[in-house]
Amino acid sequence: MDLKDLIRDVKDFPIEGIVFKDITTLLKNPEGFNETLDNLYNISKDKGITKVVGIESRGFIFGGALASKLNAGFVPIRKPGKLPAETVEEEYELEYGTDKMEIHKDAIEPGDKILLHDDLLATGGTMKAACNLVEKLGGKIVQISFVIDLTFLNGKDLLKGYEIHSLIEY
Ligand code: AMP
């Protein structure tokens, strides 16, 4: 199965000029969902991952399932004001605007071996901010994985020094 065939392009979403890579068409397909999860799992098994950190909101879908398969904990990074306990915060740039993200202060123990996961790498700003949050809390970033890499935006340049994996490239 070519997973690329299950991803839908939505033109001019959320603003004009952006071609949005819609993974809901992949998620609703049972074989597509499982093949994506298995491929992500194969990248990260045997790495001693203790926690998977997923980025709101599409990073929660495979991130949570992966954590279960890896026998690791799951930690959400969320938009401001969503997490109830004490947080640390980081500002970041999107392909289409700027935003902030938060993580619970007690979500990561120093020395935790972290897999960071999101659905898509564009400019890399979101993942870079997530890396900063994890490292502020003493986590060791072992791997970063994405379902999709928009390689023409060179997001990997912002994430130099980390082990980065993606399943589908454009
Ligand atoms: P960036 O910080 O530029 O790497 O943007 C990555 C984040 O924005 C991820 O959480 C993606 O879900 C979302 N994103 C950015 N561009 C797109 C796109 N063209 N299609 C779908 N999601 C996108």
Side-chain angles (χ1 to χ4, degrees):
M1 177 190 317
D2 190 351
L3 295 174
K4 224 176 201 176
D5 294 341
L6 296 175
I7 291 168
R8 170 165 59 189
D9 280 1
V10 182
K11 287 202 180 96
D12 297 325
F13 183 88
I15 57 164
E16 227 183 294
I18 300 291
V19 178
F20 192 88
K21 297 292 180 192
D22 178 17
I23 62 162
T24 64
T25 38
L26 168 76
L27 299 174
K28 73 175 180 179
N29 181 299
E31 291 101 46
F33 190 105
N34 274 306
E35 193 171 319
T36 304
L37 182 58
D38 286 346
N39 291 347
L40 290 168
Y41 171 69
N42 285 330
I43 289 165
S44 298
K45 65 179 183 189
D46 309 326
K47 290 279 176 180
I49 303 292
T50 58
K51 285 188 182 128
V52 179
V53 177
I55 302 176
E56 183 168 2
S57 58
R58 289 181 297 278
F60 293 173
I61 301 163
F62 289 114
L66 256 178
S68 171
K69 277 181 83 93
L70 291 168
N71 206 21
F74 178 77
V75 173
I77 285 182
R78 298 209 62 185
K79 293 176 178 129
K82 301 282 188 188
L83 290 170
E86 204 182 339
T87 60
V88 283
E89 184 185 88
E90 184 85 18
E91 199 169 85
Y92 66 106
E93 278 179 34
L94 282 174
E95 194 183 354
Y96 36 82
T98 69
D99 215 339
K100 280 184 190 165
M101 59 169 66
E102 293 182 343
I103 192 168
H104 271 148
K105 222 170 179 176
D106 63 357
I108 288 169
E109 316 289 327
D112 257 338
K113 292 173 132 188
I114 305 295
L115 165 65
L116 270 156
H117 175 77
D118 201 2
D119 68 327
L120 182 142
L121 173 63
T123 65
T126 305
M127 187 52 83
K128 178 69 187 156
C131 290
N132 293 345
L133 280 181
V134 166
E135 286 174 346
K136 267 184 202 170
L137 296 179
K140 161 126 186 56
I141 299 169
V142 175
Q143 287 182 318
I144 301 175
S145 73
F146 301 93
V147 180
I148 299 168
D149 180 0
L150 302 184
T151 59
F152 54 90
L153 293 171
N154 300 312
K156 277 187 182 151
D157 290 354
L158 255 193
L159 301 171
K160 282 214 170 87
Y162 297 112
E163 183 185 322
I164 302 164
H165 299 269
S166 59
L167 302 181
I168 301 165
E169 293 189 346
Y170 291 90

